Amino acid sequence: MLITGASSGIGEAAARVFAQEGAIVVLTARRADRLAALVGELRDKGAEASCVVGDVSVADDMAKVVDFAVTEYGRLDSAFNNAGIGGDRSPLHLMSDDVYDTIMDINVRGVFNCMRHEIAAMLPHGGGSIVNNSSVGGLVSIPTAAPYIASKHAVVGLTRAAADEYAKQGIRVNAIAPGTTRSEITADWFGRNPGLEELVNSATPQGRTAHPDEIAAAAAWLLSDRCPFLTGTVLPVDGGYVNQ
Ligand code: NDP
């Protein structure tokens, strides 16, 4: 099991949840120290875990990560393409090229880079399961986050395209669309926007944000063989937000 963006937040929670369920986990992100600490923690608990530092926006880095997983463990069964950034927020007409490019490079090209190497590794072994981390922002709009919204809609598009293309070859591709989840992305947004957290809570039917474990649990289920007929779906994990 490959997990991108495993150095914090949802990816870090996913590493713990998947390892606890018995998966061999290969973790990647840019912060080597955070990954190494998590690998140490998981191995201390008896799990098989490794890490490779990489930037999802760099195709060669993701080739290296997938190669490592296949060389070390024989094959790649599943992948949680979770790495992503929130990016700076502002009204659309004030957004800079730089903000747009950075968000698209990491959130969209990153998932594209990961999927092409993962799928290439899965095809010779009869298939696999991929979950991409989109967002409720991949289904509906959130104010002052146009590039982020566009990037997460694109993740849904990549998920649907890949699910369609590889269904006959045994590769399932799904996405999750988390609602607001307590992580470094939201700590940053809430820190810079007083009152935003209360606003998010009141806009969510369940009246709260998610714990990263709740998002990881949904990804674990979609990745597992408990749902073999599920592909091309986008599962909101959002306390009822998009259902309103
Ligand atoms: P965090 O900021 O805690 O985690 C983001 C992870 O992505 C980190 O591990 C970071 O690692 C990694 N990452 C960022 N850029 C890159 C890059 N270029 N290459 C490799 N890794 C990268 O936030 P979350 O856990 O909240 O975010 C995880 C995913 O969940 C994102 O895709 C986000 O859009 C999505 N999401 C989050 C929501 C929320 O409310 N928190 C809601 C909906 C979706 P490092 O910096 O070490 O590279």
Side-chain angles (χ1 to χ4, degrees):
M1 163 89 67
L2 172 59
I3 305 168
T4 74
S7 59
S8 62
I10 295 168
E12 181 180 355
R16 293 198 180 95
V17 168
F18 301 169
Q20 200 176 357
E21 293 192 355
I24 297 169
V25 291
V26 175
L27 315 180
T28 187
R30 295 165 302 182
R31 285 171 292 178
D33 52 337
R34 301 275 292 251
L35 291 177
L38 183 54
V39 165
E41 178 200 312
L42 297 176
R43 287 183 179 168
D44 286 347
K45 290 179 185 158
E48 180 62 51
S50 306
C51 62
V52 185
V53 173
D55 183 329
V56 289
S57 67
V58 178
D60 284 352
D61 280 12
M62 291 308 103
K64 193 178 65 181
V65 171
V66 170
D67 277 355
F68 171 87
V70 173
T71 306
E72 194 73 12
Y73 300 111
R75 64 182 199 278
L76 180 69
D77 290 328
S78 51
F80 180 37
N81 297 323
N82 158 76
I85 58 166
D88 287 345
R89 296 184 67 158
S90 76
L92 187 148
H93 73 285
L94 301 176
M95 286 275 176
S96 68
D97 287 350
D98 192 42
V99 169
Y100 179 88
D101 289 343
T102 306
I103 291 175
M104 289 295 170
D105 257 5
I106 296 176
N107 292 5
V108 185
R109 188 185 299 278
V111 169
F112 177 67
N113 282 338
C114 291
M115 281 209 295
R116 43 184 179 149
H117 295 296
E118 292 157 2
I119 288 168
M122 288 173 178
L123 284 171
H125 296 281
S129 181
I130 294 174
V131 168
N132 295 322
N133 199 351
S134 176
S135 165
V136 291
L139 298 170
V140 295
S141 176
I142 301 166
T144 66
Y148 180 79
I149 299 299
S151 75
K152 292 302 185 175
H153 277 70
V155 170
V156 170
L158 285 170
T159 301
R160 291 206 165 114
D164 191 32
E165 249 178 87
Y166 297 100
K168 287 196 171 54
Q169 283 130 302
I171 301 177
R172 295 188 301 109
V173 187
N174 292 288
I176 54 169
T180 307
T181 306
R182 296 187 285 284
S183 73
E184 289 176 23
I185 281 185
T186 43
D188 179 44
W189 276 354
F190 291 157
R192 285 189 285 151
N193 298 280
L196 183 62
E197 185 167 10
E198 293 70 25
L199 198 68
V200 167
N201 287 343
S202 65
T204 305
Q206 287 193 353
R208 65 175 178 85
T209 52
H211 187 281
D213 286 354
E214 297 177 285
I215 309 304
W221 176 71
L222 271 176
L223 283 163
S224 77
D225 55 14
R226 281 168 281 172
C227 45
F229 205 46
L230 249 174
T231 196
T233 64
V234 183
L235 181 68
V237 191
D238 65 351
Y241 183 78
V242 297
N243 178 54
Q244 296 171 92

